[in-house]
Amino acid sequence: MVKLIHTLADHGDDVNCCAFSSSLLATCSLDKTIRLYSLSDFTELPHSPLKLHTYAVHCCCFSPSGHILASCSTDGTTVLWNTQNGEPLAVMEQPSGSPVRVCQFSPDSTCLVSGAADGTVVLWNTQSYKLYRCGSVKDGSLVACAFSPDGNLFVTGSSCGDLTVWDDKMRCLHSEKAHDLGITCCDFSSQPVSDGEQGLQYFRLASCGQDCQIKIWVVSFTHILGFELKYKSTLSGHCAPVLACAFSHNGQMLVSGSVDKSVIVYDTNTENILHTLTQHTRYVTTCAFAPNILLLATGSMDKTVNIWQFDLETPCQARSTEDEAKQFPEDWSEDDVSVWLCAQGLNDLVGIFKMNNIDGRELLNLTKESLADDLKIESLGLRSKVLRKIEELRTEAKTLSSGIPDEFLCPITRELMKDPVIASDGYSYEKEAMENWISKKKRTSPMTNLVLPSVVLTPNRTLKMAISRWLETHQK
């Protein structure tokens, strides 16, 4: 499926960023250098490392052609390099002199955005190396930036958690709080999503933050209809702040790296987890997909960059082999159990479970006695919560083995629905479960966590008939 094929360990300090061109890999570090490697054999180029910055290098990126590399630093500069010989082409100083945290080329290579710790954002002309436009965000440092694939707009993310959208003239189109504790990274998928009804094209945007979440947004912009940013979903999996996210070139996968030291690869269509990679020994700070081949680079505070290679198969094929096998809890590895614990809010138990080598089969066999005596979990309340979650998992495992279609299960109880109703969020639930949910003053959707426009529940007769037909066919 995916295998580690190379580890680069040339940097003397934390790796902050990595980026691919069609033939090269660039990495940058707190050690003030940028290093360039050939993708053919991962040997370092003769003119590497590139040395000019006087403080830590935070970000690096290639122009779309791969002929120019940009890097930015705490020293307040953004440097453009000739990738063929390693010579600097220009040193562009942030007007405020503030540390530059992020830089990004426009899709046509004519512009470069640089964002700084004081909230200033600069649009540079890459032909003249002159400042073209300058703006700023209200609060926080600028730490993330991404251009839409059509180049009509770009998005910046701040340490205060705001996503700000700008057009190509540096006019602010929109700003909203996306992550409560601060944004760390954002990226656009290069593949558009079509709206069959109106014939419009949208782009997926991913953002991640200190709140341990990855959020997916849908972005559209036309000169006639204007700009629109819509929240779509939240991806779970990490149990600590998420520091990096990136789409694959074909848009089928999204990768993220976290303070929990793991790298997670998602299928962007189903939002299921395809792979969890745990090779790094410290925080994962950066991740990037190669543009033309199925390679992934991940960098870490452990001073290394790992190169991963994917088999030549689609994410759908990957699900059918590895993850469909892993969907049964008894087949889970110790790492799968750790991910499950984090998803249940039981992060503090990860170390205990790992120390006792608890895999999926062991998890399902845990009892109140083994939790107290073997795992030494002293809190009665915590033991009760773990047992309750394990019982829910056992029920889910029985459901999986029974082959009940997932759409027939209530999202709240995970049991076969008897009286399905449609809520105002568009999802179907068991009537009694949803009424109980609403009666407890939960006016939010169990699926999206957004406020429900209405508490009216409409009987889903079509689904009820489908469940009845399925039962008639499968009952013994």
Side-chain angles (χ1 to χ4, degrees):
M1 295 299 301
V2 59
K3 60 182 178 180
L4 179 64
I5 61 170
H6 205 88
T7 296
L8 304 171
D10 299 310
H11 283 294
D13 212 326
D14 301 0
V15 177
N16 285 332
C17 186
C18 56
F20 282 101
S21 71
S22 58
S23 59
L24 299 176
L25 170 68
T27 64
C28 63
S29 166
L30 285 182
D31 66 9
K32 311 176 190 177
T33 69
I34 305 103
R35 292 181 180 271
L36 291 173
Y37 301 88
S38 168
L39 293 191
S40 61
D41 55 4
F42 301 107
T43 55
E44 191 166 5
L45 300 190
H47 49 268
S48 177
L50 310 182
K51 297 181 179 180
L52 186 61
H53 290 293
T54 55
Y55 290 98
V57 186
H58 293 290
C59 182
C60 60
C61 61
F62 286 98
S63 64
S65 68
H67 296 154
I68 300 174
L69 177 74
S71 61
C72 59
S73 166
T74 301
D75 62 18
T77 68
T78 302
V79 178
L80 299 183
W81 307 84
N82 182 328
T83 58
Q84 304 300 311
N85 57 24
E87 291 297 317
L89 300 171
V91 178
M92 303 180 296
E93 297 184 4
Q94 202 75 3
S96 61
S98 179
V100 186
R101 302 295 303 275
V102 65
C103 57
Q104 192 67 238
F105 279 99
S106 64
D108 62 3
S109 296
T110 60
C111 296
L112 177 84
V113 167
S114 64
D118 63 354
T120 58
V121 54
V122 175
L123 196 59
W124 302 92
N125 183 312
T126 55
Q127 273 73 51
S128 65
Y129 310 135
K130 302 293 185 184
L131 187 150
Y132 172 59
R133 292 278 195 279
C134 187
S136 64
V137 296
K138 290 189 297 183
D139 299 301
S141 300
L142 274 183
V143 294
C145 178
F147 269 95
S148 64
D150 58 10
N152 286 332
L153 54 85
F154 64 93
V155 174
T156 57
S158 79
S159 59
C160 286
D162 294 331
L163 269 182
T164 304
V165 185
W166 313 78
D167 69 9
D168 54 4
K169 300 294 189 296
M170 280 286 296
R171 291 175 294 210
C172 181
L173 302 177
H174 180 80
S175 185
E176 72 172 75
K177 182 74 73 175
H179 295 267
D180 288 339
L181 304 177
I183 292 172
T184 53
C185 188
C186 62
D187 190 38
F188 272 101
S189 170
S190 62
Q191 302 302 313
V193 180
S194 296
D195 179 354
E197 296 179 2
Q198 301 182 28
L200 298 176
Q201 284 192 333
Y202 300 85
F203 292 103
R204 286 193 184 101
L205 172 72
S207 64
C208 57
Q210 300 286 350
D211 56 6
C212 313
Q213 295 182 338
I214 303 161
K215 293 186 177 181
I216 305 298
W217 311 79
V218 178
V219 181
S220 67
F221 178 72
T222 65
H223 292 290
I224 298 175
L225 298 177
F227 165 80
E228 188 176 38
L229 173 70
K230 284 185 179 179
Y231 165 81
K232 181 178 179 289
S233 57
T234 297
L235 304 184
S236 58
H238 289 294
C239 57
V242 186
L243 302 182
C245 62
F247 283 99
S248 62
H249 187 65
N250 62 9
Q252 292 188 19
M253 292 183 284
L254 175 71
V255 63
S256 59
S258 168
V259 169
D260 64 15
K261 307 175 191 175
S262 74
V263 174
I264 296 180
V265 182
Y266 300 87
D267 181 332
T268 55
N269 294 314
T270 65
E271 299 185 350
N272 292 335
I273 294 176
L274 297 175
H275 310 284
T276 301
L277 312 175
T278 56
Q279 187 75 17
H280 287 294
T281 58
R282 295 191 66 194
Y283 300 174
V284 180
T285 54
T286 179
C287 46
F289 280 102
N292 301 324
I293 50 179
L294 286 175
L295 287 182
L296 168 68
T298 60
S300 168
M301 290 175 65
D302 62 14
K303 307 178 188 178
T304 69
V305 176
N306 286 331
I307 312 297
W308 307 85
Q309 185 175 52
F310 292 81
D311 290 342
L312 294 175
E313 57 183 4
T314 65
C316 292
Q317 292 170 318
R319 282 201 312 280
S320 67
T321 54
E322 180 183 37
D323 289 321
E324 284 190 4
K326 284 292 185 70
Q327 70 177 327
F328 295 100
E330 60 264 31
D331 296 328
W332 286 357
S333 66
E334 293 177 25
D335 288 334
D336 294 323
V337 171
S338 297
V339 170
W340 176 80
L341 287 169
C342 292
Q344 308 308 314
L346 299 168
N347 309 37
D348 294 341
L349 297 181
V350 170
I352 296 173
F353 275 58
K354 273 189 169 293
M355 190 183 305
N356 288 273
N357 305 115
I358 304 296
D359 59 13
R361 191 174 297 277
E362 292 286 339
L363 177 69
L364 293 176
N365 289 326
L366 288 176
T367 63
K368 61 181 180 181
E369 290 79 14
S370 59
L371 288 174
D373 300 337
D374 300 332
L375 301 189
K376 310 298 182 185
I377 299 176
E378 297 180 358
S379 167
L380 176 61
L382 187 55
R383 291 201 303 271
S384 299
K385 181 178 180 181
V386 174
L387 285 173
R388 188 169 64 252
K389 295 294 184 182
I390 290 175
E391 187 56 40
E392 292 173 3
L393 194 62
R394 289 179 184 135
T395 301
E396 185 176 337
K398 290 177 183 176
T399 301
L400 286 169
S401 61
S402 70
I404 299 175
D406 194 64
E407 61 267 25
F408 292 173
L409 303 176
C410 172
I412 299 173
T413 65
R414 297 302 297 167
E415 295 176 355
L416 185 68
M417 287 184 277
K418 299 176 182 177
D419 191 5
V421 293
I422 303 173
S424 58
D425 61 358
Y427 292 93
S428 292
Y429 305 91
E430 177 62 36
K431 182 180 179 181
E432 183 180 358
M434 193 59 184
E435 286 176 342
N436 289 337
W437 179 276
I438 295 171
S439 69
K440 293 177 182 177
K441 299 181 180 180
K442 294 181 180 178
R443 291 293 299 268
T444 57
S445 163
M447 294 296 286
T448 68
N449 206 33
L450 299 175
V451 176
L452 291 168
S454 166
V455 294
V456 174
L457 303 177
T458 306
N460 191 339
R461 294 185 178 88
T462 303
L463 180 58
K464 188 172 184 178
M465 289 174 61
I467 293 173
S468 297
R469 285 194 296 269
W470 184 86
L471 285 171
E472 290 172 3
T473 305
H474 290 79
Q475 281 179 337
K476 296 180 180 179

